[in-house]
Amino acid sequence: MARGKGFARAIWIVLALGFLAAGLSRITFNIDVLKLLPTHLPQVEGLSIFLEHFSQPTEMIVTVSAADAEVAGDAALALAEHLGKRTDLVKRVVAQPPWEKNPADMAELLAMLTLNQPAKVVKALVDRLTPEQASETVRGTLERMDESLSPQEVALLGYDPLGLTAALADSGLMSNGQLSEFSSADGTFRVIYLEAAVPLKNYKHTIKWVGEIKALANTWNSDGKVTLGFTGEPAFVADISGTMEWDMASSANVTLLLIGSIFWLCFRRAKPLVDLIAMLMVIFALSLAAAGLFLRELTIIGVGFASIMIGLSVDYGYFIYQKSLRHTGTLRELQQECFASIAWTAGTTAAAFFALNLSSLPGLSQLGNLVGIGVLVGSAVMLLLFAPLAMRWKKMAFAPDAVERWMADSKFTRTGAWMTLALVVFLGGVLIIKGLPGVDVSPSVLRPRHSQAYETLDQLYAKLTDDTNLLSLVVTGKTGQEVRDKLQATETKLKQAEFRGEVTAFQSPLPLWPDAYHQIANLPVLAVLAGERGRLKQAVLDAGFTEESFLLTDAVFRQWTTWAESGKRPPIWPENEASRWIYRRIASLPSTPDGVFVAGGVVTPAPGRADAVAREIQGDGVWLVSWKAMGSELQRVVPGEFRKLILGLLGVILVLLWIGFRSFRDVLVLSATLALVGIALMGAMRLLGMEWNFFNIAAILLLLGTGVDYSILLLLALRRNGGDVVAARQALGLVILLCAGSAAAGFGTLTWANNRGLASLGETCALGLALDAVISIFLLPVLWRISRGKFQNLK
């Protein structure tokens, strides 16, 4: 028999270890803040599509700034060359517009843009290059070079004596920010773009790669002659994932330390404390493994589940241990005695967290699932594993704790009740005078408090372009032609809005989007023109241009010939390195047959007209999005959804309380206690200058589920003791203080989380739980006696 039990125990241990290994190995972090927001909102949906298709997961941005423009420019080129030598780390480095170093690299793009023009434009080009007109066209180019005041135009015409770059100018490529991507107007701020040599498989790999790039760049800049900054997708992953990992580990460890300190101060017993900490670690490991198996990616807010779950699960351990100290029966009797209270508290707590699935915020839903699972796992582990351990220590001499003696002291409890009442009245007065706490649902809540990647990005926007009022145009379609049709319709609307003064400027990707019909008509014509490049080259040389001046034009001609001879069917997309670099923020092509085509552009609305323009332009597969516009949309939608969610959860809890207590007076007492907690919490928030946001507003939901546990425990104790307030307080006062202290510690450790929203959630919940515990201990018994007309007998 013993051998059989040992074998079964071994099987369970192997299964548990396999479960842990499988789950923990799959854990990763998702830093996409949009994963925290309602996916059905147009702004969130559009921004998600934009980031999915136009963010560069392997592109690092290095900024170089100096007091002198020449120093900054030389340093940027030198650093780019230095980084480019590390081919094991860097695939490509771009520190200036592609056409500046080698204009011939733009030949394929220029060939496509010309091919894309209406037939009448191509005919006009051919007419300018006939034997009779070619020399005149070249002389016209020379005159434009003499008259131009733009060094950029002069340099470009020097490589385009036949005027082919008119298509490039018509595309808007020269004015849509391609040049400003590399340098500020005064030249003192430069930007380098570099691509990782290998795919960045996960966040740990990304952190390693970013660290190597930073070390390489900082070593090069050891004399500090310039100031370097690092941003881009990999930098964000490295910054935020690293801090997420640290936040989860540090908050969990500090929570365990605080819980251990609280237990030691109250009981002064090391062996039960070691067992309790061991159980919490088991609960954490099992819950995290479950997260790895079923959720895989933890969002920024999801990392807070560890400290919260530990702070809540330890409540059941405290309760069981406190009961075991006076228990005289068997283990099964202890478990049965504790089951009802733990089932009630764990059930309401888990219900509150699982209710976060009703929220339209996926991040809160994930947090709710993680903590809800953790709480259920914690209650089971404490009942099944910790209770037998607690029975091992029940024979130790027990002396009433100081807290228990205080709870039995009528003077202490009466003073505590008056002081708690005074605190609630004071905080209620603050609420009446100052009003409700403000609401902040701006995107700033999503940002980390400290991130070099964000700081560098802010500097990049400030130096290169003011994106405060910009809206990103996002257009999707199943085919390239569908996208082009939508772009044409959208451009018509934008021109009308521009005429009305609602839009000050816009850059559409339409001129750069291949037009299959134009290409089919133009390719034969341009292929014939390309066959005359010998004649045209001679005309260029006769006018005084050099051989080098014809390189770009010759490359364009050869590209037309290649396309014509290959039989490639339009639409034709440019495919060389320079073209792919330019198109990376303009067009995204599907990588699978069921994928979508996505086009990106920029719209500048008139002040105060962003929402109106977005509503007018947005339609099927068309979005105008920005972080600012998303904040406005969230402000309109989220508070209403949370009101519905809070009222729904409150109704569910009241129904559960009625089913459990079958007493209108008891439900009324619990409701009044919750109301006092809510008033005190909002008053304290107003006093401390705290605001609601779409993270910490969940504190109301959590307090409805978690905070009500303290009231339930005390109310059950009052019932068991026949209304003896002293006995009820003496039995559970210490437990409630321990539970509240541990839960507040769990939430409180989140206050230093790098994510602002998560930190605010921790602050609000810790404050609310502390108020809840004090009000439950000192004022709930008063309310209970009042409800039964026994106030005069209250000790």
Side-chain angles (χ1 to χ4, degrees):
M1 180 69 71
R3 180 176 298 178
K5 289 183 178 180
F7 181 73
R9 188 179 297 113
I11 293 294
W12 280 111
I13 291 173
V14 170
L15 290 175
L17 291 176
F19 174 76
L20 291 173
L24 297 177
S25 64
R26 291 162 61 92
I27 286 291
T28 186
F29 297 108
N30 189 326
I31 69 164
D32 184 0
V33 295
L34 294 177
K35 294 293 185 182
L36 309 176
L37 304 177
T39 55
H40 68 279
L41 298 181
Q43 283 294 320
V44 177
E45 184 182 7
L47 273 172
S48 296
I49 293 173
F50 178 82
L51 293 177
E52 178 186 354
H53 290 274
F54 294 117
S55 65
Q56 307 297 316
T58 60
E59 183 180 271
M60 180 90 152
I61 299 175
V62 182
T63 64
V64 180
S65 56
D68 182 76
E70 185 176 353
V71 171
D74 291 343
L77 294 176
L79 178 57
E81 182 179 1
H82 178 71
L83 294 173
K85 292 177 181 178
R86 287 295 303 272
T87 55
D88 58 319
L89 295 176
V90 180
K91 178 180 179 181
R92 175 180 57 185
V93 180
V94 183
Q96 57 188 352
W99 55 82
E100 278 194 8
K101 187 174 181 181
N102 185 8
D105 287 345
M106 296 295 290
E108 187 183 27
L109 176 61
L110 185 53
M112 192 282 290
L113 292 176
T114 307
L115 192 64
N116 229 33
Q117 300 300 307
K120 62 180 182 180
V121 174
V122 171
K123 183 178 183 303
L125 170 64
V126 172
D127 290 343
R128 291 201 311 272
L129 300 181
T130 61
E132 297 78 18
Q133 293 295 321
S135 298
E136 184 64 29
T137 297
V138 176
R139 283 195 295 272
T141 300
L142 287 171
E143 291 175 3
R144 286 174 60 195
M145 292 175 66
D146 291 338
E147 296 171 359
S148 177
L149 298 177
S150 169
Q152 178 187 331
E153 183 182 22
V154 171
L156 192 59
L157 290 174
Y159 289 98
D160 182 33
L162 298 182
L164 299 181
T165 53
L168 190 64
D170 292 342
S171 72
L173 185 63
M174 305 299 291
S175 59
N176 75 344
Q178 291 291 336
L179 290 177
S180 64
E181 280 190 296
F182 296 93
S183 175
S184 61
D186 61 4
T188 60
F189 185 84
R190 304 285 178 146
V191 183
I192 304 169
Y193 302 85
L194 55 101
E195 183 179 350
V198 295
L200 303 177
K201 299 176 182 178
N202 51 52
Y203 79 97
K204 289 185 180 293
H205 189 195
T206 302
I207 290 173
K208 181 176 182 294
W209 181 79
V210 169
E212 290 174 332
I213 293 296
K214 286 184 176 181
L216 191 62
N218 289 327
T219 300
W220 174 86
N221 188 45
S222 58
D223 57 358
K225 61 182 178 182
V226 294
T227 301
L228 301 180
F230 304 90
T231 189
E233 187 82 1
F236 284 117
V237 171
D239 270 12
I240 300 175
S241 294
T243 56
M244 287 169 69
E245 190 174 48
W246 166 254
D247 284 345
M248 184 163 66
S250 62
S251 63
N253 289 331
V254 172
T255 300
L256 287 173
L257 179 62
L258 291 175
I259 288 172
S261 301
I262 293 171
F263 186 93
W264 176 257
L265 288 173
C266 291
F267 296 107
R268 302 280 181 173
R269 295 173 184 174
K271 291 182 179 180
L273 173 59
V274 172
D275 289 341
L276 181 63
I277 297 297
M279 291 301 100
L280 292 175
M281 294 176 69
V282 168
I283 294 168
F284 172 66
L286 291 173
S287 302
L288 190 60
L293 286 176
F294 302 111
L295 298 176
R296 296 201 62 178
E297 292 185 333
L298 294 184
T299 62
I300 293 170
I301 194 171
V303 303
F305 98 95
S307 56
I308 297 172
M309 180 269 300
I310 290 172
L312 296 176
S313 296
V314 74
D315 294 357
Y316 315 128
Y318 285 148
F319 182 74
I320 290 171
Y321 182 71
Q322 181 75 357
K323 285 287 185 181
S324 72
L325 293 177
R326 292 190 175 90
H327 184 69
T328 57
T330 65
L331 169 62
R332 183 175 294 276
E333 289 172 339
L334 174 64
Q335 291 171 325
Q336 290 174 344
E337 183 181 346
C338 296
F339 178 79
S341 296
I342 290 179
W344 260 110
T345 55
T348 54
T349 299
F353 280 96
F354 285 133
L356 292 178
N357 282 287
L358 301 176
S359 165
S360 60
L361 301 174
L364 287 180
S365 298
Q366 184 187 87
L367 179 66
N369 288 329
L370 288 168
V371 179
I373 291 171
V375 165
L376 295 179
V377 170
S379 62
V381 169
M382 289 301 182
L383 275 170
L384 297 176
L385 300 183
F386 182 67
L389 296 175
M391 288 290 289
R392 291 163 49 188
W393 314 114
K394 70 175 185 176
K395 296 180 180 179
M396 296 175 64
F398 172 72
D401 187 88
V403 175
E404 292 187 357
R405 292 194 297 271
W406 294 339
M407 292 300 173
D409 187 332
S410 60
K411 182 178 180 182
F412 173 80
T413 55
R414 188 180 299 112
T415 302
W418 281 111
M419 291 180 66
T420 305
L421 179 62
L423 176 64
V424 172
V425 171
F426 170 72
L427 294 176
V430 170
L431 196 61
I432 293 172
I433 296 172
K434 292 195 170 188
L436 294 171
V439 178
D440 177 16
V441 291
S442 66
S444 63
V445 179
L446 302 171
R447 289 185 54 164
R449 291 190 282 195
H450 308 289
S451 169
Q452 185 188 29
Y454 265 107
E455 292 166 4
T456 302
L457 184 65
D458 289 341
Q459 187 182 28
L460 188 146
Y461 281 141
K463 293 288 186 178
L464 301 191
T465 180
D466 181 8
D467 72 331
T468 305
N469 295 313
L470 292 183
L471 294 171
S472 293
L473 172 65
V474 182
V475 180
T476 65
K478 294 181 180 179
T479 66
Q481 189 59 46
E482 181 185 348
V483 171
R484 185 172 179 85
D485 293 342
K486 290 180 180 179
L487 285 172
Q488 287 176 325
T490 301
E491 187 165 292
T492 300
K493 292 181 181 180
L494 287 171
K495 286 180 178 178
Q496 293 171 351
E498 191 174 34
F499 178 77
R500 295 192 301 268
E502 295 179 343
V503 170
T504 59
F506 68 89
Q507 289 292 336
S508 169
L510 182 60
L512 292 163
W513 199 269
D515 187 322
Y517 301 113
H518 287 168
Q519 291 181 354
I520 290 171
N522 293 331
L523 186 55
V525 177
L526 293 172
V528 172
L529 179 63
E532 301 182 35
R533 64 177 177 271
R535 171 180 64 81
L536 294 169
K537 179 179 181 180
Q538 191 58 50
V540 168
L541 297 176
D542 290 345
F545 282 94
T546 65
E547 289 267 356
E548 187 179 5
S549 299
F550 195 70
L551 290 177
L552 175 62
T553 304
D554 187 61
V556 171
F557 286 159
R558 292 181 185 278
Q559 188 63 64
W560 288 333
T561 301
T562 300
W563 284 335
E565 292 178 349
S566 69
K568 190 170 186 177
R569 293 179 58 83
I572 296 173
W573 292 84
E575 298 176 346
N576 69 357
E577 279 294 302
S579 298
R580 284 202 299 269
W581 187 85
I582 291 170
Y583 270 80
R584 77 199 197 287
R585 302 192 193 279
I586 296 172
S588 173
L589 309 186
S591 56
T592 60
D594 59 344
V596 296
F597 290 80
V598 184
V602 177
V603 176
T604 306
R609 302 300 298 167
D611 290 345
V613 171
R615 285 194 297 269
E616 179 184 353
I617 301 301
Q618 287 181 161
D620 181 27
V622 179
W623 294 268
L624 277 178
V625 297
S626 71
W627 291 100
K628 184 177 180 181
M630 184 186 70
S632 300
E633 190 171 55
L634 290 172
Q635 186 123 18
R636 291 193 302 270
V637 174
V638 172
E641 291 196 6
F642 261 99
R643 279 194 293 270
K644 295 177 184 177
L645 184 59
I646 290 167
L647 291 175
L649 179 59
L650 182 60
V652 169
I653 288 178
L654 290 177
V655 169
L656 290 175
L657 292 175
W658 170 256
I659 293 173
F661 287 98
R662 300 284 181 160
S663 167
F664 176 76
R665 288 184 298 183
D666 286 348
V667 173
L668 186 62
V669 167
L670 289 170
S671 300
T673 304
L674 284 175
L676 291 177
V677 173
I679 291 170
L681 174 61
M682 288 189 287
M685 289 178 64
R686 197 69 177 88
L687 186 66
L688 298 173
M690 298 167 61
E691 292 183 315
W692 292 115
N693 57 60
F694 44 68
F695 283 146
N696 72 353
I697 202 168
I700 297 177
L701 304 175
L702 304 181
L703 289 173
L704 285 174
T706 304
V708 76
D709 289 353
Y710 310 145
S711 301
I712 291 174
L713 286 173
L714 199 56
L715 201 55
L716 289 172
L718 284 168
R719 283 186 158 197
R720 283 195 302 269
N721 290 279
D724 188 336
V725 174
V726 174
R729 278 202 186 110
Q730 190 173 11
L732 284 176
L734 175 59
V735 172
I736 291 175
L737 288 177
L738 286 171
C739 292
S742 299
F747 283 104
T749 56
L750 298 178
T751 59
W752 65 67
N754 197 37
N755 179 265
R756 297 176 183 178
L758 186 59
S760 69
L761 173 65
E763 294 168 356
T764 309
C765 287
L767 180 61
L769 288 172
L771 290 169
D772 199 334
V774 172
I775 290 172
S776 296
I777 291 173
F778 292 107
L779 294 187
L780 183 142
V782 176
L783 295 173
W784 190 84
R785 299 301 294 266
I786 291 174
S787 72
R788 285 158 173 76
K790 299 179 180 180
F791 183 66
Q792 68 275 13
N793 296 324
L794 179 68
K795 292 184 180 181

